[in-house]
Amino acid sequence: MSTTIEQRIAPLVAGDKLTREEFLRRWEADPEIKNAELIGGIVYMPSPVSAEHGDMELDVGVWLGTYKAATPGTAGGHNTTSFILEDTPQPDLNLRIRPEYGGSSWVEDKYLGGVPELLTEICRSSASYDLHVKLDLYQAAKIPEYLAILLFEQEIRWHVLVNGQYQLLPAGPDGLIRSRIFPGLWLDGKALLAGNTQQVPTRLQEGIRSPEHERFVAELARRRAAGAP
């Protein structure tokens, strides 16, 4: 008579120090867990999402989704588990260039691998780990742009990588912040924070109609035709 011993998998617990492989093994063994991240080898399990956070994430998702729809060769998503260096964050939103159009991220074992061009986090406040250990991770991984929206301070911080260090993108005289990686991705930060869901897409459409966005779309098509890796 043979005896089968069932292998028990330890639960995923906030504060544990794990490898990526063990983190994913424990998480995948518990389908009830919807949000978890591995940052600096430490497990973080965010609190339940507030209505304020959810509302802002939808507004930002509409803004990014509109740009994606107007820009062939780009992709994006919400809350995608990502392999960044040795860690596994789950950014609120991402916008990226598809690899066949010259982008530097890809789908890896159903998760997102590589270096997405833009990551976005909705932060409770400037004390959030999104603006500390996670910002350090994104900077070390050379994520080109990192957009942080601070709910308590009512502040937009759009970080852009310059010589390996993040600097904040300032708004122009017209109040718009303009992406350096995605030409035509224009954000009226004051309107976004005020919940003005008409002004934000109106100003974005101005960016989408701009000559620099037209040139970017043509460049992406050229890369695709040239067989970009």
Side-chain angles (χ1 to χ4, degrees), residues 127-189:
S128 169
Y129 74 108
D130 291 332
L131 287 168
H132 296 279
V133 292
K134 196 182 288 188
L135 183 147
D136 291 342
L137 170 64
Y138 293 163
Q139 180 174 267
K142 295 181 171 53
I143 303 297
E145 293 190 347
Y146 172 38
L147 173 61
I149 299 169
L150 284 62
L151 298 177
F152 179 77
E153 289 88 349
Q154 287 289 281
E155 182 181 350
I156 304 289
R157 294 186 186 177
W158 196 326
H159 305 82
V160 59
L161 199 67
V162 178
N163 296 324
Q165 299 291 319
Y166 276 142
Q167 296 181 6
L168 293 180
L169 269 177
D174 55 2
L176 299 179
I177 309 175
R178 293 168 167 82
S179 170
R180 295 184 181 178
I181 299 297
F182 294 100
L185 183 61
W186 296 359
L187 177 63
D188 187 330

Side-chain angles (χ1 to χ4, degrees), residues 89-110:
Q90 191 177 5
D92 289 325
L93 301 114
N94 70 76
L95 182 67
R96 57 194 194 273
I97 299 171
R98 293 183 180 277
E100 62 269 28
Y101 289 82
S104 54
S105 63
W106 54 83
V107 176
E108 180 178 335
D109 295 332
K110 77 184 178 183

Side-chain angles (χ1 to χ4, degrees), residues 62-99:
V62 170
W63 171 66
L64 289 175
T66 301
Y67 181 86
K68 168 183 169 289
T71 315
T74 62
H78 287 250
N79 295 298
T80 305
T81 296
S82 305
F83 294 161
I84 296 180
L85 298 181
E86 297 303 315
D87 288 329
T88 317
Q90 191 177 5
D92 289 325
L93 301 114
N94 70 76
L95 182 67
R96 57 194 194 273
I97 299 171
R98 293 183 180 277

